[in-house]
Amino acid sequence: MTRAAGPATPAARRALAVAVTGSTGAAALALLAATRIWAVEAVERPSPLPPDEVLRTGSALAPVIPAFALVALAGAGALLGTRRMGRSLVAGLMVAAGAVAAA
């Protein structure tokens, strides 16, 4: 008889659910932040013309954020599809990606 693929105890299932939900929420928040305007730059133009405003989004100023957000989103799915050592490896990669995105 084989064991089930998921965690055996309710506490382990709850911890996995919290990790997956947190990762998905953080990835969604990072993707949302990357689409918002972070800076407005005024560009001077010749005399009769008013200054032009250039809007800079988060992905234009920090293009790595959407990429690492997608890594976190993929990692949330990978947490569900792996067990034991694989799950630890995925979690470590997700922590590293989150640290790089935060920096």
PDB file of all heavy atoms in Angstrom, residues 43-79:
ATOM      1  N   VAL A  43       9.463  66.667 -18.756  1.00  0.00           N
ATOM      2  CA  VAL A  43      10.463  66.876 -19.799  1.00  0.00           C
ATOM      3  C   VAL A  43      10.199  68.240 -20.433  1.00  0.00           C
ATOM      4  O   VAL A  43       9.101  68.519 -20.912  1.00  0.00           O
ATOM      5  CB  VAL A  43      10.378  65.761 -20.872  1.00  0.00           C
ATOM      6  CG1 VAL A  43      11.375  66.014 -21.989  1.00  0.00           C
ATOM      7  CG2 VAL A  43      10.589  64.415 -20.240  1.00  0.00           C
ATOM      8  N   GLU A  44      11.202  69.092 -20.393  1.00  0.00           N
ATOM      9  CA  GLU A  44      11.073  70.437 -20.975  1.00  0.00           C
ATOM     10  C   GLU A  44      11.035  70.352 -22.498  1.00  0.00           C
ATOM     11  O   GLU A  44      11.721  69.526 -23.105  1.00  0.00           O
ATOM     12  CB  GLU A  44      12.251  71.309 -20.546  1.00  0.00           C
ATOM     13  CG  GLU A  44      12.266  71.626 -19.058  1.00  0.00           C
ATOM     14  CD  GLU A  44      11.076  72.457 -18.630  1.00  0.00           C
ATOM     15  OE1 GLU A  44      10.631  73.347 -19.378  1.00  0.00           O
ATOM     16  OE2 GLU A  44      10.561  72.194 -17.527  1.00  0.00           O
ATOM     17  N   ARG A  45      10.207  71.212 -23.086  1.00  0.00           N
ATOM     18  CA  ARG A  45      10.102  71.280 -24.545  1.00  0.00           C
ATOM     19  C   ARG A  45      10.330  72.722 -24.981  1.00  0.00           C
ATOM     20  O   ARG A  45      10.365  73.628 -24.158  1.00  0.00           O
ATOM     21  CB  ARG A  45       8.722  70.786 -24.982  1.00  0.00           C
ATOM     22  CG  ARG A  45       8.511  69.321 -24.611  1.00  0.00           C
ATOM     23  CD  ARG A  45       7.359  68.677 -25.293  1.00  0.00           C
ATOM     24  NE  ARG A  45       6.089  69.344 -25.008  1.00  0.00           N
ATOM     25  CZ  ARG A  45       4.927  68.949 -25.513  1.00  0.00           C
ATOM     26  NH1 ARG A  45       4.872  67.926 -26.325  1.00  0.00           N
ATOM     27  NH2 ARG A  45       3.810  69.569 -25.209  1.00  0.00           N
ATOM     28  N   PRO A  46      10.479  72.963 -26.293  1.00  0.00           N
ATOM     29  CA  PRO A  46      10.727  74.325 -26.771  1.00  0.00           C
ATOM     30  C   PRO A  46       9.642  75.312 -26.308  1.00  0.00           C
ATOM     31  O   PRO A  46       8.534  74.943 -25.961  1.00  0.00           O
ATOM     32  CB  PRO A  46      10.723  74.187 -28.289  1.00  0.00           C
ATOM     33  CG  PRO A  46      11.092  72.763 -28.536  1.00  0.00           C
ATOM     34  CD  PRO A  46      10.531  72.005 -27.372  1.00  0.00           C
ATOM     35  N   SER A  47       9.955  76.569 -26.360  1.00  0.00           N
ATOM     36  CA  SER A  47       9.250  77.672 -25.726  1.00  0.00           C
ATOM     37  C   SER A  47       7.721  77.672 -25.746  1.00  0.00           C
ATOM     38  O   SER A  47       7.126  77.736 -24.698  1.00  0.00           O
ATOM     39  CB  SER A  47       9.775  78.986 -26.293  1.00  0.00           C
ATOM     40  OG  SER A  47       9.203  80.067 -25.624  1.00  0.00           O
ATOM     41  N   PRO A  48       7.032  77.625 -26.843  1.00  0.00           N
ATOM     42  CA  PRO A  48       5.578  77.761 -26.707  1.00  0.00           C
ATOM     43  C   PRO A  48       4.879  76.505 -26.186  1.00  0.00           C
ATOM     44  O   PRO A  48       3.724  76.548 -25.778  1.00  0.00           O
ATOM     45  CB  PRO A  48       5.111  78.079 -28.124  1.00  0.00           C
ATOM     46  CG  PRO A  48       6.147  77.514 -29.016  1.00  0.00           C
ATOM     47  CD  PRO A  48       7.431  77.609 -28.255  1.00  0.00           C
ATOM     48  N   LEU A  49       5.577  75.403 -26.166  1.00  0.00           N
ATOM     49  CA  LEU A  49       4.968  74.144 -25.744  1.00  0.00           C
ATOM     50  C   LEU A  49       5.102  73.945 -24.230  1.00  0.00           C
ATOM     51  O   LEU A  49       6.121  74.286 -23.645  1.00  0.00           O
ATOM     52  CB  LEU A  49       5.622  72.961 -26.465  1.00  0.00           C
ATOM     53  CG  LEU A  49       5.518  72.972 -27.992  1.00  0.00           C
ATOM     54  CD1 LEU A  49       6.358  71.853 -28.575  1.00  0.00           C
ATOM     55  CD2 LEU A  49       4.081  72.838 -28.416  1.00  0.00           C
ATOM     56  N   PRO A  50       4.081  73.386 -23.604  1.00  0.00           N
ATOM     57  CA  PRO A  50       4.188  73.107 -22.164  1.00  0.00           C
ATOM     58  C   PRO A  50       5.096  71.892 -21.921  1.00  0.00           C
ATOM     59  O   PRO A  50       5.347  71.103 -22.833  1.00  0.00           O
ATOM     60  CB  PRO A  50       2.745  72.792 -21.759  1.00  0.00           C
ATOM     61  CG  PRO A  50       2.115  72.277 -22.996  1.00  0.00           C
ATOM     62  CD  PRO A  50       2.775  73.024 -24.148  1.00  0.00           C
ATOM     63  N   PRO A  51       5.578  71.733 -20.696  1.00  0.00           N
ATOM     64  CA  PRO A  51       6.406  70.550 -20.406  1.00  0.00           C
ATOM     65  C   PRO A  51       5.601  69.269 -20.611  1.00  0.00           C
ATOM     66  O   PRO A  51       4.395  69.231 -20.399  1.00  0.00           O
ATOM     67  CB  PRO A  51       6.781  70.708 -18.940  1.00  0.00           C
ATOM     68  CG  PRO A  51       6.346  72.050 -18.525  1.00  0.00           C
ATOM     69  CD  PRO A  51       5.424  72.592 -19.549  1.00  0.00           C
ATOM     70  N   ASP A  52       6.288  68.253 -21.037  1.00  0.00           N
ATOM     71  CA  ASP A  52       5.650  66.952 -21.271  1.00  0.00           C
ATOM     72  C   ASP A  52       5.878  66.068 -20.048  1.00  0.00           C
ATOM     73  O   ASP A  52       6.944  66.087 -19.443  1.00  0.00           O
ATOM     74  CB  ASP A  52       6.257  66.301 -22.512  1.00  0.00           C
ATOM     75  CG  ASP A  52       5.488  65.084 -22.964  1.00  0.00           C
ATOM     76  OD1 ASP A  52       4.304  64.958 -22.615  1.00  0.00           O
ATOM     77  OD2 ASP A  52       6.081  64.249 -23.671  1.00  0.00           O
ATOM     78  N   GLU A  53       4.858  65.315 -19.657  1.00  0.00           N
ATOM     79  CA  GLU A  53       4.986  64.403 -18.530  1.00  0.00           C
ATOM     80  C   GLU A  53       5.186  62.981 -19.042  1.00  0.00           C
ATOM     81  O   GLU A  53       4.406  62.498 -19.859  1.00  0.00           O
ATOM     82  CB  GLU A  53       3.739  64.445 -17.648  1.00  0.00           C
ATOM     83  CG  GLU A  53       3.603  65.707 -16.863  1.00  0.00           C
ATOM     84  CD  GLU A  53       2.419  65.656 -15.911  1.00  0.00           C
ATOM     85  OE1 GLU A  53       1.574  64.753 -16.050  1.00  0.00           O
ATOM     86  OE2 GLU A  53       2.350  66.518 -15.042  1.00  0.00           O
ATOM     87  N   VAL A  54       6.232  62.334 -18.546  1.00  0.00           N
ATOM     88  CA  VAL A  54       6.521  60.949 -18.898  1.00  0.00           C
ATOM     89  C   VAL A  54       6.220  60.101 -17.659  1.00  0.00           C
ATOM     90  O   VAL A  54       6.788  60.326 -16.592  1.00  0.00           O
ATOM     91  CB  VAL A  54       7.985  60.772 -19.332  1.00  0.00           C
ATOM     92  CG1 VAL A  54       8.286  59.319 -19.638  1.00  0.00           C
ATOM     93  CG2 VAL A  54       8.293  61.652 -20.527  1.00  0.00           C
ATOM     94  N   LEU A  55       5.305  59.161 -17.802  1.00  0.00           N
ATOM     95  CA  LEU A  55       4.921  58.289 -16.691  1.00  0.00           C
ATOM     96  C   LEU A  55       5.787  57.041 -16.703  1.00  0.00           C
ATOM     97  O   LEU A  55       5.943  56.389 -17.728  1.00  0.00           O
ATOM     98  CB  LEU A  55       3.443  57.911 -16.808  1.00  0.00           C
ATOM     99  CG  LEU A  55       2.470  59.077 -16.928  1.00  0.00           C
ATOM    100  CD1 LEU A  55       1.057  58.563 -17.143  1.00  0.00           C
ATOM    101  CD2 LEU A  55       2.540  59.954 -15.695  1.00  0.00           C
ATOM    102  N   ARG A  56       6.360  56.708 -15.557  1.00  0.00           N
ATOM    103  CA  ARG A  56       7.217  55.527 -15.437  1.00  0.00           C
ATOM    104  C   ARG A  56       6.523  54.500 -14.540  1.00  0.00           C
ATOM    105  O   ARG A  56       6.211  54.777 -13.393  1.00  0.00           O
ATOM    106  CB  ARG A  56       8.561  55.887 -14.814  1.00  0.00           C
ATOM    107  CG  ARG A  56       9.292  56.980 -15.527  1.00  0.00           C
ATOM    108  CD  ARG A  56       9.987  56.456 -16.728  1.00  0.00           C
ATOM    109  NE  ARG A  56      10.780  57.547 -17.311  1.00  0.00           N
ATOM    110  CZ  ARG A  56      11.204  57.553 -18.526  1.00  0.00           C
ATOM    111  NH1 ARG A  56      10.935  56.541 -19.308  1.00  0.00           N
ATOM    112  NH2 ARG A  56      11.885  58.555 -18.986  1.00  0.00           N
ATOM    113  N   THR A  57       6.283  53.320 -15.094  1.00  0.00           N
ATOM    114  CA  THR A  57       5.671  52.248 -14.311  1.00  0.00           C
ATOM    115  C   THR A  57       6.752  51.469 -13.563  1.00  0.00           C
ATOM    116  O   THR A  57       7.943  51.630 -13.834  1.00  0.00           O
ATOM    117  CB  THR A  57       4.893  51.277 -15.211  1.00  0.00           C
ATOM    118  OG1 THR A  57       5.806  50.675 -16.119  1.00  0.00           O
ATOM    119  CG2 THR A  57       3.785  51.988 -15.967  1.00  0.00           C
ATOM    120  N   GLY A  58       6.312  50.629 -12.651  1.00  0.00           N
ATOM    121  CA  GLY A  58       7.256  49.823 -11.897  1.00  0.00           C
ATOM    122  C   GLY A  58       8.062  48.891 -12.774  1.00  0.00           C
ATOM    123  O   GLY A  58       9.256  48.693 -12.558  1.00  0.00           O
ATOM    124  N   SER A  59       7.440  48.321 -13.791  1.00  0.00           N
ATOM    125  CA  SER A  59       8.178  47.407 -14.668  1.00  0.00           C
ATOM    126  C   SER A  59       9.172  48.153 -15.554  1.00  0.00           C
ATOM    127  O   SER A  59      10.160  47.568 -15.992  1.00  0.00           O
ATOM    128  CB  SER A  59       7.223  46.580 -15.520  1.00  0.00           C
ATOM    129  OG  SER A  59       6.425  47.419 -16.316  1.00  0.00           O
ATOM    130  N   ALA A  60       8.944  49.437 -15.806  1.00  0.00           N
ATOM    131  CA  ALA A  60       9.915  50.219 -16.576  1.00  0.00           C
ATOM    132  C   ALA A  60      11.120  50.594 -15.715  1.00  0.00           C
ATOM    133  O   ALA A  60      12.251  50.627 -16.204  1.00  0.00           O
ATOM    134  CB  ALA A  60       9.260  51.477 -17.135  1.00  0.00           C
ATOM    135  N   LEU A  61      10.884  50.868 -14.431  1.00  0.00           N
ATOM    136  CA  LEU A  61      11.972  51.261 -13.538  1.00  0.00           C
ATOM    137  C   LEU A  61      12.716  50.057 -12.965  1.00  0.00           C
ATOM    138  O   LEU A  61      13.907  50.141 -12.703  1.00  0.00           O
ATOM    139  CB  LEU A  61      11.421  52.120 -12.397  1.00  0.00           C
ATOM    140  CG  LEU A  61      10.845  53.468 -12.823  1.00  0.00           C
ATOM    141  CD1 LEU A  61      10.199  54.166 -11.653  1.00  0.00           C
ATOM    142  CD2 LEU A  61      11.925  54.348 -13.423  1.00  0.00           C
ATOM    143  N   ALA A  62      12.016  48.974 -12.734  1.00  0.00           N
ATOM    144  CA  ALA A  62      12.632  47.763 -12.185  1.00  0.00           C
ATOM    145  C   ALA A  62      12.084  46.554 -12.940  1.00  0.00           C
ATOM    146  O   ALA A  62      11.171  45.875 -12.477  1.00  0.00           O
ATOM    147  CB  ALA A  62      12.336  47.652 -10.700  1.00  0.00           C
ATOM    148  N   PRO A  63      12.629  46.269 -14.133  1.00  0.00           N
ATOM    149  CA  PRO A  63      12.068  45.212 -14.970  1.00  0.00           C
ATOM    150  C   PRO A  63      12.187  43.809 -14.386  1.00  0.00           C
ATOM    151  O   PRO A  63      11.543  42.875 -14.857  1.00  0.00           O
ATOM    152  CB  PRO A  63      12.853  45.324 -16.277  1.00  0.00           C
ATOM    153  CG  PRO A  63      14.044  46.130 -15.973  1.00  0.00           C
ATOM    154  CD  PRO A  63      13.740  46.948 -14.773  1.00  0.00           C
ATOM    155  N   VAL A  64      12.964  43.643 -13.339  1.00  0.00           N
ATOM    156  CA  VAL A  64      13.141  42.322 -12.739  1.00  0.00           C
ATOM    157  C   VAL A  64      11.939  41.929 -11.873  1.00  0.00           C
ATOM    158  O   VAL A  64      11.710  40.739 -11.635  1.00  0.00           O
ATOM    159  CB  VAL A  64      14.467  42.293 -11.937  1.00  0.00           C
ATOM    160  CG1 VAL A  64      14.402  43.169 -10.728  1.00  0.00           C
ATOM    161  CG2 VAL A  64      14.844  40.900 -11.567  1.00  0.00           C
ATOM    162  N   ILE A  65      11.147  42.882 -11.420  1.00  0.00           N
ATOM    163  CA  ILE A  65      10.037  42.582 -10.507  1.00  0.00           C
ATOM    164  C   ILE A  65       8.994  41.660 -11.139  1.00  0.00           C
ATOM    165  O   ILE A  65       8.620  40.657 -10.522  1.00  0.00           O
ATOM    166  CB  ILE A  65       9.416  43.873  -9.965  1.00  0.00           C
ATOM    167  CG1 ILE A  65      10.397  44.523  -8.994  1.00  0.00           C
ATOM    168  CG2 ILE A  65       8.097  43.599  -9.259  1.00  0.00           C
ATOM    169  CD1 ILE A  65       9.953  45.835  -8.444  1.00  0.00           C
ATOM    170  N   PRO A  66       8.483  41.931 -12.343  1.00  0.00           N
ATOM    171  CA  PRO A  66       7.508  40.991 -12.905  1.00  0.00           C
ATOM    172  C   PRO A  66       8.081  39.594 -13.135  1.00  0.00           C
ATOM    173  O   PRO A  66       7.381  38.598 -12.955  1.00  0.00           O
ATOM    174  CB  PRO A  66       7.098  41.625 -14.239  1.00  0.00           C
ATOM    175  CG  PRO A  66       7.470  43.048 -14.129  1.00  0.00           C
ATOM    176  CD  PRO A  66       8.626  43.118 -13.189  1.00  0.00           C
ATOM    177  N   ALA A  67       9.354  39.519 -13.488  1.00  0.00           N
ATOM    178  CA  ALA A  67       9.973  38.212 -13.725  1.00  0.00           C
ATOM    179  C   ALA A  67      10.023  37.394 -12.436  1.00  0.00           C
ATOM    180  O   ALA A  67       9.655  36.210 -12.417  1.00  0.00           O
ATOM    181  CB  ALA A  67      11.378  38.390 -14.284  1.00  0.00           C
ATOM    182  N   PHE A  68      10.448  38.016 -11.345  1.00  0.00           N
ATOM    183  CA  PHE A  68      10.519  37.288 -10.088  1.00  0.00           C
ATOM    184  C   PHE A  68       9.136  37.023  -9.500  1.00  0.00           C
ATOM    185  O   PHE A  68       8.944  36.047  -8.771  1.00  0.00           O
ATOM    186  CB  PHE A  68      11.419  38.006  -9.089  1.00  0.00           C
ATOM    187  CG  PHE A  68      12.877  37.796  -9.383  1.00  0.00           C
ATOM    188  CD1 PHE A  68      13.664  38.833  -9.839  1.00  0.00           C
ATOM    189  CD2 PHE A  68      13.457  36.547  -9.232  1.00  0.00           C
ATOM    190  CE1 PHE A  68      15.006  38.635 -10.116  1.00  0.00           C
ATOM    191  CE2 PHE A  68      14.788  36.332  -9.514  1.00  0.00           C
ATOM    192  CZ  PHE A  68      15.572  37.382  -9.954  1.00  0.00           C
ATOM    193  N   ALA A  69       8.168  37.862  -9.815  1.00  0.00           N
ATOM    194  CA  ALA A  69       6.794  37.590  -9.389  1.00  0.00           C
ATOM    195  C   ALA A  69       6.257  36.343 -10.088  1.00  0.00           C
ATOM    196  O   ALA A  69       5.565  35.528  -9.472  1.00  0.00           O
ATOM    197  CB  ALA A  69       5.905  38.794  -9.673  1.00  0.00           C
ATOM    198  N   LEU A  70       6.594  36.187 -11.346  1.00  0.00           N
ATOM    199  CA  LEU A  70       6.182  34.976 -12.064  1.00  0.00           C
ATOM    200  C   LEU A  70       6.913  33.737 -11.538  1.00  0.00           C
ATOM    201  O   LEU A  70       6.342  32.649 -11.500  1.00  0.00           O
ATOM    202  CB  LEU A  70       6.408  35.146 -13.566  1.00  0.00           C
ATOM    203  CG  LEU A  70       5.488  36.175 -14.234  1.00  0.00           C
ATOM    204  CD1 LEU A  70       5.878  36.358 -15.693  1.00  0.00           C
ATOM    205  CD2 LEU A  70       4.041  35.770 -14.105  1.00  0.00           C
ATOM    206  N   VAL A  71       8.155  33.908 -11.092  1.00  0.00           N
ATOM    207  CA  VAL A  71       8.880  32.801 -10.466  1.00  0.00           C
ATOM    208  C   VAL A  71       8.167  32.385  -9.184  1.00  0.00           C
ATOM    209  O   VAL A  71       7.991  31.193  -8.906  1.00  0.00           O
ATOM    210  CB  VAL A  71      10.349  33.194 -10.174  1.00  0.00           C
ATOM    211  CG1 VAL A  71      11.021  32.188  -9.257  1.00  0.00           C
ATOM    212  CG2 VAL A  71      11.122  33.333 -11.472  1.00  0.00           C
ATOM    213  N   ALA A  72       7.726  33.361  -8.388  1.00  0.00           N
ATOM    214  CA  ALA A  72       7.001  33.051  -7.152  1.00  0.00           C
ATOM    215  C   ALA A  72       5.670  32.370  -7.448  1.00  0.00           C
ATOM    216  O   ALA A  72       5.255  31.444  -6.745  1.00  0.00           O
ATOM    217  CB  ALA A  72       6.774  34.323  -6.349  1.00  0.00           C
ATOM    218  N   LEU A  73       4.997  32.817  -8.499  1.00  0.00           N
ATOM    219  CA  LEU A  73       3.722  32.200  -8.873  1.00  0.00           C
ATOM    220  C   LEU A  73       3.932  30.759  -9.335  1.00  0.00           C
ATOM    221  O   LEU A  73       3.181  29.852  -8.955  1.00  0.00           O
ATOM    222  CB  LEU A  73       3.058  33.028  -9.969  1.00  0.00           C
ATOM    223  CG  LEU A  73       1.592  32.782 -10.245  1.00  0.00           C
ATOM    224  CD1 LEU A  73       0.769  33.004  -8.990  1.00  0.00           C
ATOM    225  CD2 LEU A  73       1.118  33.716 -11.345  1.00  0.00           C
ATOM    226  N   ALA A  74       4.966  30.527 -10.116  1.00  0.00           N
ATOM    227  CA  ALA A  74       5.282  29.160 -10.546  1.00  0.00           C
ATOM    228  C   ALA A  74       5.717  28.308  -9.362  1.00  0.00           C
ATOM    229  O   ALA A  74       5.384  27.122  -9.275  1.00  0.00           O
ATOM    230  CB  ALA A  74       6.376  29.183 -11.605  1.00  0.00           C
ATOM    231  N   GLY A  75       6.437  28.914  -8.438  1.00  0.00           N
ATOM    232  CA  GLY A  75       6.867  28.193  -7.248  1.00  0.00           C
ATOM    233  C   GLY A  75       5.701  27.766  -6.376  1.00  0.00           C
ATOM    234  O   GLY A  75       5.738  26.694  -5.765  1.00  0.00           O
ATOM    235  N   ALA A  76       4.658  28.591  -6.313  1.00  0.00           N
ATOM    236  CA  ALA A  76       3.471  28.223  -5.537  1.00  0.00           C
ATOM    237  C   ALA A  76       2.837  26.956  -6.113  1.00  0.00           C
ATOM    238  O   ALA A  76       2.425  26.062  -5.365  1.00  0.00           O
ATOM    239  CB  ALA A  76       2.471  29.372  -5.530  1.00  0.00           C
ATOM    240  N   GLY A  77       2.792  26.856  -7.413  1.00  0.00           N
ATOM    241  CA  GLY A  77       2.276  25.640  -8.040  1.00  0.00           C
ATOM    242  C   GLY A  77       3.213  24.466  -7.845  1.00  0.00           C
ATOM    243  O   GLY A  77       2.776  23.332  -7.646  1.00  0.00           O
ATOM    244  N   ALA A  78       4.518  24.738  -7.863  1.00  0.00           N
ATOM    245  CA  ALA A  78       5.497  23.663  -7.682  1.00  0.00           C
ATOM    246  C   ALA A  78       5.473  23.114  -6.255  1.00  0.00           C
ATOM    247  O   ALA A  78       5.768  21.944  -6.037  1.00  0.00           O
ATOM    248  CB  ALA A  78       6.891  24.163  -8.022  1.00  0.00           C
ATOM    249  N   LEU A  79       5.125  23.959  -5.285  1.00  0.00           N
ATOM    250  CA  LEU A  79       5.000  23.468  -3.911  1.00  0.00           C
ATOM    251  C   LEU A  79       3.932  22.390  -3.804  1.00  0.00           C
ATOM    252  O   LEU A  79       4.059  21.450  -3.023  1.00  0.00           O
ATOM    253  CB  LEU A  79       4.667  24.615  -2.956  1.00  0.00           C
ATOM    254  CG  LEU A  79       5.797  25.574  -2.605  1.00  0.00           C
ATOM    255  CD1 LEU A  79       5.269  26.712  -1.744  1.00  0.00           C
ATOM    256  CD2 LEU A  79       6.926  24.855  -1.904  1.00  0.00           C
TER     257      LEU A  79
END
